[in-house]
Amino acid sequence: MSEFKIGWNAKMDMLKFKNLGEEREKIIAEGSSKDLETIYKSNTLANLLHPKGIKVKVSKIVKETDNTKSFYLEPMSLNAMPPFMAGEYITVLVKIDNRIYKRPYSISSSPDNLSYYRITIKQEGVVSTYMLKEIAEGDILNILGPFGHFTYSKIRDQKDVLLIAGGSGITPFMSYLQSSYFLKNINSVTLLYGAKNEFELIFKKEIDAIASQNPKVKVAYILSEEKRSDYEYGFIDEEKLRRIGLENKSIFLSGPVPMYFYISETLKKLDIPNKYIRHEIFTETPENLENKQFTLTVKMLDKTITIPCQENETLITSMEKARAKTLVHCTVGICGFCRSKLLSGEVKTDNSHIRMADKEENYIHPCVTYPLSDVVIEVPIK
Amino acid sequence: MHREFDAIVIGAGNGGLVAALTLQKQGKKVLLLEKGRVPGGFATSFIRGRFEFEASLHELCEYGTAENKGEVYELFENLGIAQKIHAKVVPETFAVYALKTNEFYEMPMGEEAFIAKMEEYVPGSKESMQTFFSLCREVKEALKYLNETKGHPETEVLMSKYPRFMVVAPYSLLTVLKKIGMPKKAIQILSTYWTYLGSPASKLSFCHYASMIYSYITKGPVTLENRSHEVSLTLSEEFASLGGVVKYLTGVKEILVENGEVTGVITQDNQKFLTKHIIANISPNEVYGKMIEKENVPVKAKKLVSQRTLGAQGVCVYLGLNKTKEQLGLSKYAYFVYETLDSDVEFKRMHSLYNGNLAATITDNGEDSSILCLTSLLFGNAFSREVTKENYFAIKEQLAEDLITSFEKATHVSLRDAIEEIEIATPVTFARYGGHPEGTIYGYLASGSDNLLPRVMNEEKEVYIKGLRFCGGFSSRLLGYSSTYINGRDEAMKTIGDMKNE
Ligand SMILES: Cc1cc2nc3c(=O)[nH]c(=O)nc-3n(C[C@H](O)[C@H](O)[C@H](O)COP(=O)(O)OP(=O)(O)OC[C@H]3O[C@@H](n4cnc5c(N)ncnc54)[C@H](O)[C@@H]3O)c2cc1C
Ligand code: FES
């Protein structure tokens, strides 16, 4: 039988094997003793695109309608705002009465201009009211982001696009309509924009100007509480959708929750596959919850707090009220940033965006969780 | 007062999690510090619409089944988590396409079937394939012995029990396969998995590849039904339930060293923890380059890092499709697409963007949809060289276009009309979540003296700072799920040994 060998002979091979370590040491000895490189381009870029937080100055405030204002946010801690895709949002931190609130707002400015982000806020709850009433030009805010997936993809989406907006839901679409990426990659876009009356149509002038300059862009306004000859009247319904034509279009929905449900139902009836329908994130408040009081215990990294909570408020709301720290980005159960472990208690929650393995171990998103008893959760808050 | 621990593990990736749990199970007081929000590092998952995407795992090696247990299965049993893991064996090995030469091969599971199929594709390959498998067995046994003897084998034992192991051990995959007379085509087909280890046949150690592919072919790779996050979560929950302390969102900024020994760590939020034993689940580049005060970094450590090449960068396209595998006409789990089957030619091509080479896996998602993941590697920092803040989104999308087109071209299956969700991960994404230099996903390139055996043989010599060990993809066992899990345990046991020697 001939000898099994790879090189000259088996002995030499074995010697070579024994010397592997020495060989390695020799090579290391030839290395450089200079201080090591510590800057890596991809890591630097990751930090630029996803900064831990951005300090911004409110450089300009524009009143858009009676109850809506736009805020122009210029970077203070960075040279320029991070690049984003039209449709993304930021989370704004607002301190009211020593409580920190975090709220998501879509960016309504062009992704092509990073000297500022614009957000547009309609008066609704505590934070939006505060923003409209108290925030002035020159004020400084902290924001997180940009985040989100309500973006156009030329790989996934159709070349003909239908944007359906209701009320302040127009904000992400304002960014779409000023995005050179979006406008370059589509053949046509139709914006269906519904509001109560003409005065509530935010950005009408801007939108009309874009449409008049770009033949790809078409706009139809629909007023639900004002009958006029120069506007469509009513709600965005099956008949109007049929008239516009849905064949081979990607449909993006952004607006109040009832509008979303209504239109989703209609699209289902019209046999439009899921693939063609995308919607801005939102959450539905469960019905039939009472204001029963319970206690919420939050085990944080280094301390535990016990605070009141109530059945018809999310755990995050209770934590905000109690001036506790929170980990929140989207506030609607999608982003996973608030992921917490439910250690005990009964809750009503939305687990559509909880990982399979996390469900088995009782993880929840407290931003969409309502207590049905005393509750204990664990979350890595400092 | 600063809190003191028997050991601190930095990073809750596969290696870190197993290391922490192993130490905890030995009754040590352990602190696990993780900069992210969830355990697992790359071993995680994320949700888009109705799809939960596996972030990184294609196939888990060395697992097997309850009847035919692999080393990782046994490890999980010993850690007390095996019963919680939902693993599923992949019924075949791989299907591979070469676009330029218009070739297609699909290989079955099981040694005999594999050899027979190869003989069908490459007549005359049978004998060399049999030699290959018998070498695999010997290599596996020998590696096990090496591990048991902690890199200090007895030459006599090696000589008498694993003589051929010592002969092949210093050589590359290509050299050995050529020498045993394997026809070129068979070598190419057999090397298909080279991208799983991120190094071409002429550089990659024969032993390393042999032990991986042997496990795939004889035990079958497995996938995890609840994603790799299930393992990561189970490991971390078990660790915590035994009294281990895990702190998420707590990155380590500094490792404290005095007189050549570790004394503790400082976190990014300036907490100080004391210990004499650290297991770092992160790269030596980071540790020696950024985390230790300059005058305390041994010259040898700098030399070592300077001589190593960062491994592959990765691009991943995650697709949620609104058709099932059957509706699409894709019957296999794993597909490889290359321009040619020559791994060295391809390795060169993969030093530039848009090379079209990919590894794909597809699984059904419920009754009416499926998840397809396309992964491609880039070498020589190809991504970082080209990318800027301005062109980032465009490059990202173009990379995805390129991979989708390549997959469609190979399989003649049209994906475009079925894409319901798409997510694209680039080295920037991996840098953001993993934190490794240049978003590398594969540790250091396995090549020459930085292959498995020289790494293992010199490991103890490379403990340049007393009490500081490395686990995970950048350490001695190299990348991959099975390697990093097993290595996590081994480093923990070595640390226990260090403690005993005090
Ligand atoms: C896309 C892709 C596909 C892959 N496919 C496969 C496959 O099919 N089969 C296979 O076997 N392998 C595969 N791999 C490889 C495998 O995922 C990795 O080798 C393995 O997960 C690495 O584990 P690790 O122990 O090195 O930890 P890592 O996952 O690298 O985790 C390191 C951890 O350390 C944390 N960290 C970093 N810096 C700090 C700090 N300063 N302080 C505290 N914490 C810190 C990070 O947040 C992270 O959690 C794939 C990898 C990728 C990315
Ligand atoms: S904040 Fe996004 S899920 Fe709760």
Side-chain angles (χ1 to χ4, degrees), chain A residues 13 21 24 27 32 35 38 41-43 149 181 275 278 302 336 341 355-356 358 363 382, chain B residues 37 45 52 171 229 237 247 249 269 290 294 306-307 384 387 397 419 421 438 449-450 458 462:
Chain A
D13 289 336
R24 179 176 166 93
I27 290 175
S32 152
D35 284 342
T38 53
K41 206 171 160 195
S42 287
N43 303 64
H149 309 288
Y181 166 83
K275 166 176 163 50
R278 311 201 65 79
D302 295 305
K341 185 166 167 122
R355 298 175 180 92
M356 289 180 278
D358 279 349
Y363 279 83
K382 296 238 161 81
Chain B
R37 289 179 305 116
S45 65
E52 179 172 339
Y171 295 101
H229 179 66
E237 300 272 320
K247 289 186 188 286
L249 295 171
D269 55 355
K290 289 188 192 159
K294 282 209 171 81
S306 77
Q307 289 295 62
S384 301
V387 77
E397 192 161 60
I419 301 175
E421 294 292 343
E438 294 299 3
S449 276
D450 214 2
N458 281 18
E462 290 168 17

Side-chain angles (χ1 to χ4, degrees), chain B residues 149-200:
Chain B
T149 54
K150 304 204 165 60
H152 299 293
E154 294 197 21
T155 312
E156 292 72 54
V157 178
L158 281 178
M159 282 286 248
S160 60
K161 283 192 157 164
Y162 321 107
R164 292 190 303 169
F165 162 73
M166 292 218 281
V167 171
V168 296
Y171 295 101
S172 74
L173 175 63
L174 188 63
T175 304
V176 175
L177 295 183
K178 268 187 179 163
K179 192 70 192 188
I180 62 171
M182 192 176 285
K184 191 170 168 196
K185 186 59 42 188
I187 294 180
Q188 294 187 343
I189 298 172
L190 189 64
S191 309
T192 292
Y193 282 129
W194 74 272
T195 39
Y196 276 5
L197 295 178
S199 184

Side-chain angles (χ1 to χ4, degrees), chain B residues 9-17 33-36 38-43 55-61 196 216 250-253 268 281-282 286 291 314-316 318 361 373 375 430 432-436 440-443 471-474 478-485 487:
Chain B
V9 178
I10 305 175
N14 291 343
L17 284 166
L33 296 171
E34 164 58 49
K35 76 173 172 50
V38 283
F42 293 134
S56 67
L57 179 67
H58 287 135
E59 312 189 54
L60 173 56
C61 187
Y196 276 5
Y216 274 175
T250 310
V252 170
K253 184 168 74 178
Q268 256 136 20
N281 189 197
I282 55 181
E286 292 286 302
M291 297 175 114
V315 175
C316 248
Y318 307 92
T361 53
C373 176
T375 303
F430 292 119
R432 179 184 178 197
Y433 290 106
H436 302 313
T440 315
I441 60 173
Y442 271 23
C471 72
F474 283 86
L478 293 88
L479 72 142
Y481 274 71
S482 53
S483 305
T484 49
Y485 287 138
N487 164 260

Side-chain angles (χ1 to χ4, degrees), chain A residues 37-305:
Chain A
E37 187 60 56
T38 53
I39 294 175
Y40 302 104
K41 206 171 160 195
S42 287
N43 303 64
T44 307
L45 191 54
N47 291 334
L48 263 170
L49 290 164
H50 307 283
K52 292 243 149 61
I54 314 169
K55 197 178 213 186
V56 293
K57 185 168 89 185
V58 180
S59 62
K60 189 164 88 173
I61 297 178
V62 173
K63 187 168 176 181
E64 305 286 359
T65 72
D66 271 353
N67 57 12
T68 308
K69 281 180 181 174
S70 284
F71 298 81
Y72 289 70
L73 311 176
E74 283 184 7
M76 296 184 71
S77 56
L78 303 169
N79 293 327
M81 299 304 278
F84 70 100
M85 298 280 286
E88 291 189 336
Y89 70 89
I90 54 170
T91 301
V92 179
L93 276 63
V94 193
K95 198 170 186 177
I96 309 170
D97 186 22
N98 262 329
R99 297 180 171 107
I100 306 267
Y101 294 86
K102 297 177 188 169
R103 293 291 180 270
Y105 294 105
S106 298
I107 304 173
S108 65
S109 54
S110 167
D112 301 348
N113 180 354
L114 298 175
S115 55
Y116 61 84
Y117 286 170
R118 177 179 68 179
I119 54 174
T120 305
I121 302 179
K122 184 176 170 185
Q123 190 169 343
E124 260 156 331
V126 197
V127 182
S128 55
T129 305
Y130 180 87
M131 288 292 293
L132 261 68
K133 296 250 153 78
E134 307 296 333
I135 296 290
E137 288 179 0
D139 282 357
I140 290 164
L141 291 170
N142 286 303
I143 66 170
L144 304 170
F147 308 116
H149 309 288
F150 186 55
T151 53
Y152 180 81
S153 156
K154 80 169 183 207
I155 296 177
R156 180 196 58 211
D157 299 320
Q158 300 297 107
K159 288 207 160 295
D160 295 299
V161 176
L162 180 58
L163 306 177
I164 303 179
S168 61
I170 188 68
T171 48
F173 297 148
M174 252 344 270
S175 188
Y176 274 60
L177 295 177
Q178 300 169 84
S179 155
S180 56
Y181 166 83
F182 176 68
L183 294 170
K184 185 178 76 199
N185 285 303
I186 55 157
N187 289 338
S188 77
V189 54
T190 305
L191 170 67
L192 273 188
Y193 182 12
K196 282 188 192 138
N197 54 51
E198 190 187 26
F199 296 112
E200 298 228 329
L201 287 171
I202 315 169
F203 299 130
K204 177 159 187 311
K205 259 199 208 131
E206 269 184 66
I207 295 169
D208 287 341
I210 293 168
S212 71
Q213 276 163 28
N214 191 332
K216 286 183 179 177
V217 182
K218 289 194 183 59
V219 187
Y221 301 104
I222 298 147
L223 303 181
S224 61
E225 290 181 7
E226 188 180 15
K227 260 193 185 168
R228 292 170 50 147
S229 57
D230 47 349
Y231 286 99
E232 287 244 20
Y233 174 73
F235 287 108
I236 300 171
D237 56 16
E238 186 176 333
E239 183 272 325
K240 290 191 181 72
L241 290 173
R242 274 182 193 278
R243 187 142 42 89
I244 288 201
L246 302 171
E247 201 79 337
N248 293 323
K249 281 187 183 158
S250 278
I251 303 161
F252 291 74
L253 294 173
S254 171
V257 178
M259 177 195 103
Y260 170 72
F261 280 111
Y262 179 71
I263 296 182
S264 292
E265 276 307 305
T266 313
L267 293 175
K268 212 179 266 164
K269 228 164 66 191
L270 295 171
D271 274 336
I272 308 289
N274 263 335
K275 166 176 163 50
Y276 299 108
I277 309 165
R278 311 201 65 79
H279 57 80
E280 180 56 297
I281 53 171
F282 67 87
T283 179
E284 203 191 346
T285 317
E287 283 165 26
N288 307 324
L289 293 181
E290 300 165 29
N291 62 353
K292 276 196 204 136
Q293 304 290 312
F294 301 109
T295 61
L296 166 64
T297 304
V298 186
K299 286 190 157 177
M300 302 186 172
L301 274 179
D302 295 305
K303 64 174 178 187
T304 298
I305 58 165

Side-chain angles (χ1 to χ4, degrees), chain B residues 5-110:
Chain B
F5 290 86
D6 293 334
I8 294 181
V9 178
I10 305 175
N14 291 343
L17 284 166
V18 171
L21 178 54
T22 305
L23 287 165
Q24 192 67 35
K25 274 195 127 51
Q26 297 280 325
K28 303 297 169 196
K29 192 174 162 206
V30 185
L31 172 64
L32 173 57
L33 296 171
E34 164 58 49
K35 76 173 172 50
R37 289 179 305 116
V38 283
F42 293 134
T44 188
S45 65
F46 60 91
I47 297 174
R48 295 286 178 273
R50 56 174 165 151
F51 303 92
E52 179 172 339
F53 293 101
E54 166 63 50
S56 67
L57 179 67
H58 287 135
E59 312 189 54
L60 173 56
C61 187
E62 285 295 338
Y63 200 77
T65 58
E67 294 73 42
N68 182 15
K69 290 175 193 165
E71 207 180 338
V72 175
Y73 197 113
E74 286 167 357
L75 169 66
F76 285 3
E77 271 184 335
N78 291 335
L79 292 173
I81 68 156
Q83 75 287 356
K84 287 204 171 172
I85 306 305
H86 299 80
K88 202 166 132 190
V89 175
V90 180
E92 72 278 329
T93 54
F94 58 82
V96 60
Y97 296 87
L99 288 177
K100 194 169 168 189
T101 45
N102 213 356
E103 293 169 83
F104 171 68
Y105 306 98
E106 48 187 327
M107 299 304 287
M109 186 79 95

